[in-house]
């Protein structure tokens, strides 16, 4: 089983891989790769921000009080926020959409710049 890496580290390493000389050479010769390279910066930033948002929720616990559900962070902060079903569903949708976009992106990139990775996902183009 491969080493589990934090999202920020995976994003950083992917960005760094674009700076490898053979990748830079390939990107500079194909306008589609130039476009994909520029799209990566926006996609990476969206993934980073969504990961941070997910982590804020992932490190809480749910409580029930006065017929409402709350998301809480324990001591020493004792923060408490009412759970919104709409917000939770919106975040689930954002994660699903971004996952699909990244899968499609890696497929396009893999076609133009063949690579192999344990986590590579092939989607229909």
């Amino acid at each position: 089983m491969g080493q589990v890496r934090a999202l920020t580290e995976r994003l950083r390493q992917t960005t760094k891989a674009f700076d490898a000389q053979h990748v830079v050479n390939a990107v500079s010769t194909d306008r589609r790769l130039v476009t994909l390279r520029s799209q990566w910066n926006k996609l990476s930033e969206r993934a980073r921000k969504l990961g941070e948002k997910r982590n804020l929720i992932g490190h809480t616990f749910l409580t029930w009080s006065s017929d409402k559900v709350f998301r809480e962070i324990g001591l020493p902060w004792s923060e408490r926020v009412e759970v919104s079903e709409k917000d939770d569903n919106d975040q689930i949708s954002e994660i699903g959409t971004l996952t699909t976009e990244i899968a499609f992106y890696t497929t396009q990139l893999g076609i133009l710049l063949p690579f192999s990775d344990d986590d590579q996902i092939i989607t229909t183009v």
Side-chain angles (χ1 to χ4, degrees):
M1 185 171 166
Q3 180 182 16
V4 177
R5 290 192 180 107
L7 175 62
T8 54
E9 179 62 14
R10 285 184 178 270
L11 295 173
R12 186 188 71 72
Q13 288 195 4
T14 301
T15 301
K16 183 179 174 184
F18 274 114
D19 295 332
Q21 192 58 52
H22 64 282
V23 175
V24 170
N25 292 342
V27 168
S28 68
T29 62
D30 188 321
R31 66 177 172 73
R32 295 171 298 173
L33 283 171
V34 171
T35 300
L36 285 173
R37 174 61 185 100
S38 68
Q39 288 174 346
W40 171 249
N41 293 334
K42 292 176 186 171
L43 197 57
S44 174
E45 184 59 17
R46 282 180 51 216
R48 185 192 63 74
K49 286 180 179 177
L50 190 55
E52 287 177 358
K53 188 176 174 183
R54 194 230 43 100
N55 285 346
L56 287 175
I57 291 173
H59 296 288
T60 63
F61 59 93
L62 298 177
T63 60
W64 177 270
S65 176
S66 303
D67 294 328
K68 295 180 181 178
V69 177
F70 294 92
R71 187 171 279 118
E72 293 190 34
I73 298 174
L75 296 173
W77 300 280
S78 297
E79 295 173 11
R80 184 177 186 187
V81 177
E82 187 174 344
V83 172
S84 161
E85 182 178 359
K86 181 190 179 315
D87 289 346
D88 280 0
N89 288 337
D90 287 349
Q91 185 171 18
I92 290 166
S93 178
E94 279 183 88
I95 290 170
T97 299
L98 186 60
T99 300
T100 301
E101 287 180 40
I102 289 173
F104 185 71
Y105 180 89
T106 60
T107 298
Q108 290 179 304
L109 186 62
I111 290 167
L112 297 174
L113 185 65
F115 66 97
S116 177
D117 184 83
D118 292 340
D119 296 328
Q120 186 176 4
I121 300 167
I122 304 298
T123 62
T124 56
V125 180

